[in-house]
Every structure is written in C-alpha cells, then in structure tokens.
Amino acid sequence: EADIYQTPRYLVIGTGKKITLECSQTMGHDKMYWYQQDPGMELHLIHYSYGVNSTEKGDLSSESTVSRIRTEHFPLTLESARPSHTSQYLCASSEYRWDQPQHFGDGTRLSIL
Amino acid sequence: AQSVTQPDIHITVSEGASLELRCNYSYGATPYLFWYVQSPGQGLQLLLKYFSGDTLVQGIKGFEAEFKRSQSSFNLRKPSVHWSDAAEYFCAVGAGGSEKLVFGKGTKLTVNP
C-alpha cells in the first residue's frame, strides 16, 4: 500500500487568499506529480518533479507553483485564489525507473468562493 | 501526442454479472497502458499495467485487461462483479513509461444488488 498523504482533504476559502496544498510521501520516491481533476473529466498533469530542486510544468497551464526542497515533500501554492481554481488536486509519486507506476494520494477538494 | 478514449461514461451492471470497460488509445509508438480505479473521496489505485509481453494482463481484485494493437484497445474485464467494485475507472497511456500519463475521462460503474 502506497504511503502518500495530502492535506487538507477539503478546503473552502475566499477569493484572494494564499493557499498551500501539502503532499508528502514516505516511500523515498524521486518523482512526484500534481494533477487537477474536475468532475467527469480526465486528470490533467499540472506539475511534476524528478527530484530535489527539480520542478517542471505539466501539460495543463496552471497559475499554481510548486517547490521540491525535500524528497518527501511537494507542496503546491496558489498565491491568490480565484473561483476558477475550484477543483480537486491529486498528488502522486513514483520511483525513478520508467516502468514503476504512480501512487496517488486521496486528493484535496478545493472550493474558492 | 497520445490520447485516450473511454466511450462509456456510465455503466450499470448487476452483482455477479460480467464486466467489460472499453478503452481506446492513440499513440504512434509502443504504448504503456494502465487501468486505475477511484472510489468516492479517494485517490487513484493501480489495477494493472501493460508494458510488453503477454497481451492479457492480470491485475488486482480479479481484474484483467487485454491489449489489442490492431484495434488500439486495452479493455478491462472482470468475470463476476462485486458491489464493492462500484467506482470510477480510468484508463491511461504513458509515452515514456509511467510518467506523464494521459488519462481518459473515466467510466463510472454502478453495481445493482
């Protein structure tokens, strides 16, 4: 069973606030990912990282930013939240080998009022 | 660029009946294919993966999938569905393996008693 944790699970907050979504994994995985998921839609990759100090933008443009200062931690930040940021955000991690699957956290459901 | 189509948005089956969920992909090279399941309020769990070799792949929870290159398909099957199988199922294709996955929009499975 994968050990990847996301907090908070649910967040309802007003427009303009700064938000940080936390993601931590205890498996020592090098690669980590953030996906955005809307109801009835596919997951879209918004950020990923190959390891410490590595961050890349995904296929879906996002106003969020990420950092990777420690292997186990990959937080996502929105500097000024807007209603268009309302979505579910899923974090995942995998070993560096190309044939290893991604393991997902339970997600953060974000609602911006 | 790769893409994934899951033609069925919602499928309803009776408990004990057989199940087949369809997945069609588009990718020019050898695809790396995955099926994930997502229960309400949770993240994605890997059911099975195909990288190469035997085209019939066995996964967890009694699921299997068959890769058919000629049809660009990777359909998921289960001979006898249990009520606990009710969830959303996502097919995904990877270009370089398991990173940078492209997901389908998912198929929601309802199981009637």
Side-chain angles (χ1 to χ4, degrees):
Chain A
E1 194 70 28
D3 294 314
I4 180 165
Y5 307 100
Q6 292 186 241
T7 57
R9 289 295 313 280
Y10 304 92
L11 180 61
V12 181
I13 200 165
T15 299
K17 301 291 186 182
K18 180 179 180 179
I19 300 167
T20 296
L21 306 185
E22 303 287 351
C23 176
S24 295
Q25 50 96 4
T26 59
M27 297 167 285
H29 287 170
D30 289 309
K31 295 180 180 176
M32 295 189 75
Y33 315 81
W34 277 103
Y35 290 89
Q36 188 171 336
Q37 182 185 27
D38 294 310
M41 300 295 292
E42 60 269 64
L43 281 73
H44 289 289
L45 181 67
I46 52 175
H47 298 282
Y48 61 101
S49 167
Y50 288 114
V52 172
N53 295 325
S54 156
T55 61
E56 305 285 345
K57 289 190 179 296
D59 300 323
L60 181 68
S61 176
S62 174
E63 295 169 347
S64 58
T65 59
V66 292
S67 62
R68 190 88 183 276
I69 298 172
R70 304 198 315 267
T71 297
E72 63 271 20
H73 196 213
F74 191 42
L76 180 146
T77 298
L78 283 163
E79 289 294 333
S80 180
R82 296 207 299 269
S84 61
H85 296 141
T86 294
S87 188
Q88 174 156 258
Y89 294 84
L90 290 169
C91 181
S93 70
S94 69
E95 294 183 33
Y96 199 83
R97 276 178 51 133
W98 66 271
D99 61 345
Q100 296 303 302
Q102 294 183 24
H103 299 274
F104 285 80
D106 286 339
T108 294
R109 189 169 295 280
L110 178 63
S111 294
I112 310 300
L113 304 178
Chain B
Q2 61 268 38
S3 66
V4 176
T5 300
Q6 293 181 246
D8 303 305
I9 298 172
H10 191 184
I11 283 183
T12 300
V13 299
S14 298
E15 191 169 16
S18 64
L19 172 70
E20 183 169 30
L21 302 182
R22 295 183 290 165
C23 172
N24 294 101
Y25 68 90
S26 173
Y27 185 57
T30 301
Y32 302 98
L33 297 158
F34 307 81
W35 274 100
Y36 283 86
V37 60
Q38 185 178 32
S39 298
Q42 296 187 10
L44 277 69
Q45 181 183 20
L46 179 70
L47 285 175
L48 46 78
K49 62 183 180 182
Y50 172 80
F51 284 170
S52 64
D54 193 347
T55 56
L56 185 62
V57 180
Q58 301 297 320
I60 63 171
K61 303 184 180 187
F63 285 93
E64 66 178 26
E66 186 171 13
F67 170 61
K68 293 186 177 179
R69 185 185 297 275
S70 61
Q71 298 177 19
S72 298
S73 69
F74 188 56
N75 294 348
L76 182 72
R77 301 194 294 248
K78 187 169 184 178
S80 178
V81 170
H82 188 262
W83 64 267
S84 60
D85 293 324
E88 190 149 21
Y89 292 79
F90 291 91
C91 181
V93 62
S98 61
E99 68 180 49
K100 298 194 74 175
L101 296 178
V102 173
F103 286 84
K105 293 185 178 182
T107 297
K108 184 177 180 180
L109 174 66
T110 298
V111 180
N112 287 334

